Amino acid sequence: MAQILTKSTEHHRNAQLPSLNFHVAELPGLGTKDVLVKFLAAPINPLDVLVLANLYPVKPQHHHANEAIPGYDGIGEVMDCGAGVTELVPGDLVIPSKFGIGTWRTQAVVDVQYLQKVIRPHDFAFAAIIKISIAPAFCLVEDMCNLKPGDWIIQNAATSVVAQMVVQFARRRGIHTIGVIRDRSAGEADVVKQSLRGIGSDIVVLESEVTGHAEIRSKRIMLALDSVFGTSGRVLVKSLSPGGTFVQLGFLGGPTGKLELDANDIFGRQLTLKAFRGSAQVASRSAEEQTDLFNWFISLFNTGELNLPRLGLERVRWDAADKRGSEERLMEAVKRAQQGKLGQRKQIIEFM
């Protein structure tokens, strides 16, 4: 029997976002090209929140009881394979090869085309965030512009997992980073700044400190990564050096915000503006290239050259033997993700 979270087709009276339903169901039999997967870990990403709110263009591909199964990232173990599956064997570890697989469930029978084999990490949480957090961070550093050792990146939402991975990939190439965090109390800001410097961020400032910051103005900032949009994004635009690249990758400030530009940004400073969607950027590489890249990430993690986010993860236990307790923990975890409060850490579902 599998336990499954689905996106309800109904809405709570006092909530804008769809509710979730918890199911216990029998698994279907294996088809020729099917694989039985036991999930080991799956994150609750901002992308998942957008999916629940019907705001993400890529829809879930798997359903139960006519309701979509959320969860676009994660890692699982192959338990059994259909007669026509030659790519995988029981005991292999796999991550989704395509979005929409539905990882918020204890077990699943899926077509082998939806799975990608990876090597074993010493913490499943790392592999669970490869597709939506780690690989996009790598692509931001490698693909958005021609960065050289000594160049600087400035990024807001610096406490996010993607931003923390950007710092680590940039540091490997001799590229410096400036992290911009939301305004908060002095004591809390000091803790966050110290943590981000600990993973290699050279400068960490509050949003209100960026404008007029003498040290930032003296740097050759060639890449700005904006996850917020609006006023916060404008601060990054103003921080770029001539010839720099501004990349829009998120709308934490709300999708209805506006990014102000003036003639000097485009014609005077010759800035380049780009939009970034991690799934599309990763998909520009072949399946073989992706597998090699993901395994390289895990190898770096296993040897201590890459680390999980310094600000920590919040692990949410899904114990199949404790249905009621697991359901309560999962519902609360998704609710926290939907609220998006200041200081909320990345949540990882760990299956027991």
Side-chain angles (χ1 to χ4, degrees):
M1 302 290 284
Q3 295 176 5
I4 307 167
L5 274 181
T6 61
K7 176 180 174 292
S8 175
T9 55
E10 300 178 354
H11 292 68
H12 291 304
R13 289 182 180 178
N14 298 319
Q16 295 181 343
L17 293 170
S19 61
L20 292 168
N21 290 325
F22 190 94
H23 305 267
V24 178
E26 291 188 5
L27 290 163
L30 287 177
T32 303
K33 298 295 287 184
D34 286 341
V35 177
L36 172 60
V37 178
K38 178 181 73 174
F39 287 107
L40 304 170
I44 302 173
N45 290 309
L47 180 152
D48 296 310
V49 174
L50 293 177
V51 170
L52 294 177
N54 298 315
L55 295 175
Y56 195 73
V58 182
K59 306 302 180 184
Q61 301 299 306
H62 292 251
H63 296 75
H64 174 75
N66 295 319
E67 295 182 344
I69 304 173
Y72 280 30
D73 213 350
I75 181 171
E77 180 181 356
V78 174
M79 306 304 292
D80 199 2
C81 299
V85 175
T86 58
E87 306 93 323
L88 300 169
V89 297
D92 284 345
L93 297 182
V94 290
I95 62 174
S97 64
K98 302 179 181 181
F99 270 9
I101 187 175
T103 57
W104 291 5
R105 46 181 164 170
T106 56
Q107 299 175 78
V109 172
V110 297
D111 192 291
V112 68
Q113 68 172 320
Y114 284 94
L115 302 172
Q116 201 161 5
K117 181 180 176 181
V118 294
I119 62 176
R120 182 174 292 270
H122 67 71
D123 186 333
F124 292 135
F126 183 85
I129 60 174
I130 277 182
K131 290 295 290 271
I132 295 179
S133 297
I134 298 171
F138 174 82
C139 292
L140 286 166
V141 175
E142 294 294 325
D143 299 351
M144 292 299 97
C145 66
N146 184 25
L147 291 170
K148 301 174 182 177
D151 285 345
W152 287 74
I153 298 171
I154 188 169
Q155 56 181 345
N156 53 23
T159 60
S160 72
V161 173
V162 170
Q164 292 181 68
M165 298 310 301
V166 163
V167 170
Q168 295 184 64
F169 285 122
R171 192 177 186 184
R172 290 180 58 84
R173 290 188 49 194
I175 297 162
H176 304 288
T177 53
I178 301 166
V180 181
I181 60 176
R182 286 186 286 181
D183 288 1
R184 59 197 75 198
S185 67
E188 186 180 353
D190 287 343
V191 171
V192 174
K193 289 179 178 182
Q194 184 176 354
S195 295
L196 293 178
R197 292 190 191 105
I199 63 170
S201 192
D202 297 273
I203 300 173
V204 185
V205 295
L206 299 173
E207 285 187 349
S208 60
E209 296 173 335
V210 179
T211 302
H213 194 286
E215 189 176 6
I216 291 176
R217 292 177 63 182
S218 69
K219 306 304 181 185
R220 185 171 182 268
I221 303 174
M222 300 309 297
L223 180 62
L225 304 178
D226 179 20
S227 297
V228 181
F229 206 57
T231 302
S232 181
R234 177 60 187 165
V235 169
L236 300 192
V237 170
K238 292 171 65 177
S239 300
L240 278 168
S241 298
T245 298
F246 173 89
V247 178
Q248 184 64 48
L249 61 143
F251 300 91
L252 293 176
T256 59
K258 295 181 180 180
L259 178 67
E260 293 185 4
L261 298 172
D262 59 41
N264 187 53
D265 297 329
I266 307 300
F267 298 102
R269 294 193 289 145
Q270 293 287 294
L271 300 183
T272 299
L273 277 67
K274 294 182 177 181
F276 177 87
R277 200 162 86 191
S279 58
Q281 200 64 36
V282 173
S284 67
R285 294 161 167 83
S286 69
E288 293 77 15
E289 289 173 330
Q290 290 181 45
T291 298
D292 289 344
L293 191 62
F294 300 157
N295 285 335
W296 179 59
F297 295 155
I298 295 173
S299 296
L300 292 175
F301 174 65
N302 286 343
T303 57
E305 296 176 72
L306 284 180
N307 297 291
L308 283 167
R310 185 69 173 264
L311 291 173
L313 301 170
E314 187 170 345
R315 300 175 189 255
V316 181
R317 184 165 56 91
W318 188 335
D319 185 352
D322 179 20
K323 175 183 175 296
R324 178 173 295 182
S326 295
E327 181 177 358
E328 291 176 354
R329 287 189 292 272
L330 292 166
M331 295 299 181
E332 284 299 315
V334 174
K335 181 179 178 180
R336 286 193 295 269
Q338 291 172 338
Q339 292 171 339
K341 291 183 178 179
L342 184 67
Q344 174 62 51
R345 295 179 294 170
K346 170 78 75 177
Q347 298 180 102
I348 303 285
I349 300 168
E350 293 190 326
F351 298 87
M352 305 295 170

